[in-house]
Amino acid sequence: MRLSMVLLFAAGLAAPLTPALAAEIVVYSSRNEQLIKPMFDAYKKETGVTVKFITDKEGPLMARLKAEGKNTPADILMTVDAGNLWQASKEDLLRPVNSKVLMANIPAHLRDPGNEWFGLSVRARTIVYNTNKVKPGELSSYEDLASPKWKGRLCLRTSKKVYNQSLVAMMIHEYGEEKTEQIVRGWVANLATEPLPDDTKAMEAVAAGLCDATVVNTYYFGRLMGKNANLPLAIFWPNQNLKANNAGVHVNISGAGVTRHSRNEAEAVKLLEWLSSAHVQGYYADVNMEYPANPKVKPHQAVAAWGTFKPNLINVSEAGKLQTRAVMLMDRAGYK
Ligand code: FE
């Protein structure tokens, strides 16, 4: 009894001396250590706040958040693809945050309409073609890759990847299921080979002449050309006729949200605001050859060299909403 009284008293005395805000927050991240650690080190220097992190694939991270529930040490979930963030929000792993800074820094189509997650970088999923075999004038849109002139000339990454699920989900949003299924069937009919396991393998197949064109995220193009600038590959920006449906290049995000059970909401929001700010956005995008989400910041010159494009401005959360239907549609269309 006495002891606990003493402890309570001591705790009461100590309370005003501890800082009002935590000096440490925890991030669960599917972005890997080499991309995030230098940023969090810079944050510590600027603010004194330590950012601890755990990296893993998004599936295990979300399962962990769910299993830990109220006891989770995580304040922020950081991952790629709006489909994943949408899923986290749907499973009640995130909470809405009210931040004028995030609203001002991140365009509306790159964040959750319910403010549970925010895009921090933009990735463009576009056409890459073999420059020895294709003239850019032959290319026009994602849906045109379904036309008979591409028979036996197309390579695609597997439909199991969320990037393709999001792309098809956005097409369903734009065209409806019937037309989108026709398009996906056309792609499958045009395949030169079975779907490939990743974007890099798809581009390597194009470079090797196994097929003439594919659809990939541009940062993989940047990495591959960085290793071998002589590959006969180039980027094409599709769907630039803005009068058409499905106007603009399909863009997705990497992003983050504050966890449902964070005990440091104010500090977590501050970190997100810092990540969205003009002086950090260049770095956040450049380390992975992505595009800044904050429109005040220009892409790295190596990325800018790929040319400018008009992005599709549909809210990226639609990719999440329509993901299940996209997966079923690709299955029906025989896209493995
Ligand atoms: Fe990726």
Side-chain angles (χ1 to χ4, degrees):
M1 182 73 178
R2 268 189 71 146
L3 185 63
S4 60
M5 288 290 283
V6 168
L7 284 176
L8 274 176
F9 187 57
L13 272 182
L17 300 175
T18 53
L21 293 168
E24 185 178 291
I25 55 174
V26 176
V27 176
Y28 282 5
S29 171
S30 78
R31 250 171 120 79
N32 66 37
E33 174 161 357
Q34 78 200 54
L35 300 184
I36 57 176
K37 185 168 185 305
M39 231 162 31
F40 294 157
D41 288 346
Y43 189 67
K44 166 92 178 172
K45 259 192 201 146
E46 252 186 74
T47 64
V49 175
T50 302
V51 183
K52 285 192 168 172
F53 57 86
I54 288 171
T55 60
D56 203 337
K57 295 227 186 293
E58 57 274 354
L61 287 177
M62 285 196 247
R64 186 169 176 159
L65 272 178
K66 216 190 274 185
E68 287 168 344
K70 283 183 185 149
N71 299 317
T72 187
D75 300 300
I76 287 175
L77 174 68
M78 178 178 276
T79 184
V80 298
D81 205 284
N84 291 328
L85 288 158
W86 184 87
Q87 194 65 36
S89 163
K90 193 172 164 246
E91 290 177 19
D92 202 25
L93 301 175
L94 302 175
R95 71 168 78 178
V97 302
N98 191 357
S99 160
K100 285 200 179 103
V101 175
L102 285 167
M103 302 287 258
N105 286 346
I106 307 300
H109 70 108
L110 302 177
R111 51 179 153 87
D112 173 33
N115 296 321
E116 296 206 358
W117 46 264
F118 300 84
L120 293 171
S121 64
V122 172
R123 42 258 313 275
R125 192 154 187 81
T126 195
I127 297 174
V128 165
Y129 64 95
N130 185 312
T131 51
N132 294 329
K133 295 167 82 181
V134 178
K135 292 197 181 69
E138 293 177 66
L139 292 157
S140 59
S141 63
Y142 302 104
E143 47 273 31
D144 179 64
L145 295 175
S147 76
K149 74 176 190 212
W150 294 101
K151 182 112 194 144
R153 301 170 70 192
L154 186 64
C155 279
L156 289 176
R157 183 181 191 160
T158 167
S159 67
K160 306 286 180 289
K161 184 66 185 182
V162 68
Y163 302 163
N164 285 331
Q165 295 166 4
S166 290
L167 172 64
V168 171
M170 293 305 229
M171 291 172 78
I172 293 174
H173 181 272
E174 211 51 26
Y175 288 137
E177 286 205 35
E178 205 176 313
K179 185 171 176 194
T180 303
E181 187 170 333
Q182 276 172 21
I183 294 165
V184 175
R185 283 185 186 280
W187 289 350
V188 172
N190 289 342
L191 287 178
T193 182
E194 288 291 296
L196 294 150
D198 60 51
D199 284 16
T200 304
K201 292 232 164 47
M203 280 183 292
E204 285 169 348
V206 173
L210 183 63
C211 42
D212 296 355
T214 188
V215 177
V216 295
N217 286 0
T218 52
Y219 54 90
Y220 292 111
F221 173 83
R223 280 184 214 166
L224 187 63
M225 298 303 274
K227 280 184 210 149
N228 183 358
N230 297 321
L231 290 174
L233 296 175
I235 278 178
F236 179 84
W237 301 115
N239 301 65
Q240 295 297 282
N241 173 7
L242 294 192
K243 282 183 221 138
N245 276 340
N246 202 22
V249 169
H250 171 62
V251 292
N252 211 307
I253 55 166
S254 83
V258 178
T259 61
R260 169 60 67 194
H261 296 294
S262 167
R263 284 180 286 264
N264 302 303
E265 180 179 358
E267 277 299 320
V269 171
K270 271 192 197 165
L271 175 59
L272 294 186
E273 290 176 345
W274 184 82
L275 291 169
S276 76
S277 68
H279 79 293
V280 181
Q281 273 283 290
Y283 178 81
Y284 188 99
D286 293 353
V287 287
N288 195 32
M289 301 189 89
E290 291 177 85
Y291 295 87
N294 183 331
K296 286 180 220 99
V297 182
K298 290 200 169 67
H300 188 279
Q301 60 181 33
V303 171
W306 303 335
T308 53
F309 63 90
K310 288 155 190 146
N312 189 315
L313 295 174
I314 297 172
N315 191 295
V316 289
S317 66
E318 295 297 331
K321 277 186 217 159
L322 293 166
Q323 198 177 76
T324 309
R325 281 165 65 189
V327 169
M328 293 193 315
L329 184 154
M330 289 191 285
D331 187 49
R332 281 199 304 276
Y335 180 7
K336 301 236 170 70

